[in-house]
């Protein structure tokens, strides 16, 4: 923990020092005010472009991740729905057989939960 804090503090110190050094270099550089303002304007323009590029990349990645999550969720819903329908059918059949006095083997009524997990893992491959 202490090493992480020291590393973080060192990184923050390096960033702040770099920024202060850059500002100091700009202010004490032997340039006219017009040249300095032009350099600052160019720097701001470059930072703005980079920020827009990063924002676009983040938006694209977010859309890809959201699509992947949506696909996997739909697959899981379909699998669960199918399994639930099968279990409901088995339960209905068992209830009808009990109603008619024909008790069946209870071992066949176990829900294949492990099969559902294996099936969903196979679908992901």
């Amino acid at each position: 923990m202490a090493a992480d804090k020291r590393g973080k503090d060192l990184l923050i110190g390096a960033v702040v020092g770099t920024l202060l050094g850059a500002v100091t270099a700009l202010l004490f550089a032997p340039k006219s005010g017009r040249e300095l303002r032009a350099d600052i304007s160019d720097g701001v323009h470059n930072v703005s472009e980079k920020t827009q590029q990063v924002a676009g990349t983040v938006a694209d990645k977010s859309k890809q991740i959201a699509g992947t999550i949506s696909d996997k969720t739909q697959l899981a819903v379909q699998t669960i729905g199918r399994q639930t329908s099968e279990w409901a059918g088995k339960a209905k059949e068992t209830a009808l057989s009990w109603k008619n006095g024909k008790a069946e083997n209870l071992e066949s009524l176990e829900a294949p939960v492990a099969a559902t997990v294996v099936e969903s893992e196979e679908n992901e491959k």
Side-chain angles (χ1 to χ4, degrees):
M1 285 276 184
D4 291 341
K5 176 127 175 78
R6 279 189 229 133
K8 185 178 177 183
D9 290 344
L10 179 64
L11 180 63
I12 290 171
V15 170
V16 169
T18 301
L19 290 174
L20 289 175
V23 168
T24 303
L26 283 174
L27 294 178
F28 288 108
K31 293 185 178 182
S32 68
R34 184 172 292 164
E35 289 175 345
L36 181 60
R37 286 190 297 273
D39 287 348
I40 292 172
S41 175
D42 289 342
V44 168
H45 181 69
N46 289 339
V47 168
S48 175
E49 286 179 357
K50 295 280 185 186
T51 303
Q52 289 175 355
Q53 289 174 354
V54 169
T57 302
V58 168
D60 291 342
K61 293 288 183 182
S62 297
K63 287 177 185 176
Q64 289 175 354
I65 291 171
T68 301
I69 290 172
S70 175
D71 293 344
K72 290 189 179 204
T73 303
Q74 287 176 357
L75 179 63
V77 166
Q78 290 171 353
T79 302
I80 291 169
R82 186 172 25 86
Q83 288 293 327
T84 303
S85 296
E86 289 175 13
W87 296 339
K90 287 182 181 181
K92 186 176 181 180
E93 289 174 16
T94 303
L96 288 174
S97 67
W98 283 350
K99 183 178 179 182
N100 295 331
K102 301 175 186 174
E104 292 183 3
N105 186 1
L106 293 179
E107 291 178 9
S108 66
L109 299 178
E110 292 181 10
V113 175
T116 303
V117 173
V118 170
E119 187 176 63
S120 67
E121 289 175 355
E122 289 175 356
N123 288 338
E124 290 178 5
K125 292 178 184 177

